[in-house]
Amino acid sequence: MAKRKKQFKSNVRSLITKFNPKSPISEQYRTIRTNIEFASVDQELSTLLVTSSGPSEGKSSTTANLGVVFAQQGKKILLIDGDLRKPTVHYTFKLDNRIGLSTVLVGEKTLEETVKETDVPNLDILTCGPIPPNPSELLGSKAMKQMLQIAQETYDVIVFDTPPVLAVTDAQILANICDGSIIVARSEQTEYDAIQKAKELLEPAHAKMLGVVLNDVAQKKSNTYYYYGS
């Protein structure tokens, strides 16, 4: 991925796969997509969780761009902002967030009433909605599993953006109901021990680990600048 600038805190996420689909970085996202499909060859992957060990490691940008490249493949994609604490997906896609996942889970709205279309063909978004006082309980509820079953009737792949694993238990809860999980790490920032600890926390949740995306590696003229592997 492209070398970062010093500022990480902006809510603006780069959707390079949408605005510059022929760029080398977009091609790397398509390679990640292909590797995810290869990693789940024995089981059709319909739900994918993206997380990181800590904050500011490129998780949400990776999630959004993966949603775009899956949609560009012609599959019907639902990107869900599963971060009910610090949501960002609505910023990335410039969507209203007054209703979303939290309103569906408490029964105020149906999934159909809440999902928002984007200008990317085949890509729909379920934003976070109002931030609830009990994110973990909502994500682990029967309502969550029921909503996921309904969504799977419409969408080929459902991608979750989730909070960092080492911060809260939310990613572990969602990993338990997803077909595969990937961890995003930032070059020269994420420590190996943190990734290992995140993996150890996801394993008891029966997460199927598909690999690690190394984000923000310095570009080289004649070399690739990301790594994905198990």
Side-chain angles (χ1 to χ4, degrees):
M1 306 305 163
K3 186 67 176 177
R4 68 185 184 279
K5 295 181 178 180
K6 292 183 179 179
Q7 176 60 264
F8 296 145
K9 296 183 179 180
S10 171
N11 287 323
V12 177
R13 299 290 189 273
S14 172
L15 268 182
I16 190 169
T17 49
K18 171 187 173 184
F19 296 108
N20 192 0
K22 295 184 178 179
S23 71
I25 295 174
S26 295
E27 182 58 33
Q28 298 306 323
Y29 278 113
R30 287 190 286 274
T31 301
I32 295 171
R33 178 192 67 195
T34 301
N35 287 348
I36 290 172
E37 292 171 337
F38 282 157
S40 56
V41 64
D42 291 331
Q43 177 188 0
E44 184 178 357
L45 187 145
S46 65
T47 49
L48 173 66
L49 177 137
V50 182
T51 190
S52 61
S53 60
S56 302
E57 295 182 342
K59 166 182 58 62
S60 294
S61 291
T62 300
T63 308
N65 281 290
L66 281 178
V68 172
V69 295
F70 271 116
Q72 290 171 341
Q73 198 179 26
K75 293 182 177 178
K76 187 69 173 173
I77 305 301
L78 177 63
L79 172 56
I80 298 178
D81 195 341
D83 191 339
L84 300 182
R85 302 168 192 268
K86 293 183 178 179
T88 60
V89 172
H90 60 289
Y91 291 122
T92 304
F93 290 90
K94 298 179 174 59
L95 297 171
D96 184 277
N97 190 39
R98 285 176 291 183
I99 60 173
L101 176 59
S102 60
T103 48
V104 174
L105 296 182
V106 298
E108 291 183 1
K109 296 285 184 180
T110 67
L111 178 65
E112 185 178 14
E113 292 171 332
T114 313
V115 164
K116 302 169 180 70
E117 294 183 353
T118 71
D119 55 359
V120 177
N122 301 314
L123 178 61
D124 289 347
I125 303 292
L126 181 60
T127 61
C128 161
I131 295 177
N134 54 344
S136 298
E137 287 77 8
L138 281 182
L139 295 174
S141 65
K142 292 181 179 177
M144 182 70 209
K145 294 180 180 177
Q146 291 169 352
M147 188 218 69
L148 197 56
Q149 289 176 347
I150 294 172
Q152 287 176 306
E153 295 174 0
T154 302
Y155 296 95
D156 297 312
V157 180
I158 300 166
V159 183
F160 283 94
D161 186 8
T162 68
V165 179
L166 301 187
V168 290
T169 61
D170 300 7
Q172 295 170 267
I173 293 170
L174 289 175
N176 182 255
I177 58 174
C178 286
D179 297 329
S181 301
I182 61 174
I183 298 174
V184 177
R186 185 180 291 277
S187 176
E188 300 182 6
Q189 175 179 316
T190 307
E191 296 181 356
Y192 176 81
D193 288 347
I195 299 175
Q196 188 66 31
K197 181 64 176 178
K199 179 174 178 288
E200 291 174 358
L201 288 174
L202 288 171
E203 286 175 342
H206 304 292
K208 181 181 179 181
M209 293 304 306
L210 301 179
V212 175
V213 174
L214 184 57
N215 182 50
D216 200 23
V217 178
Q219 294 187 49
K220 296 179 181 179
K221 290 184 179 180
S222 59
N223 203 354
T224 56
Y225 37 88
Y226 92 103
Y227 166 82
Y228 173 88
S230 58

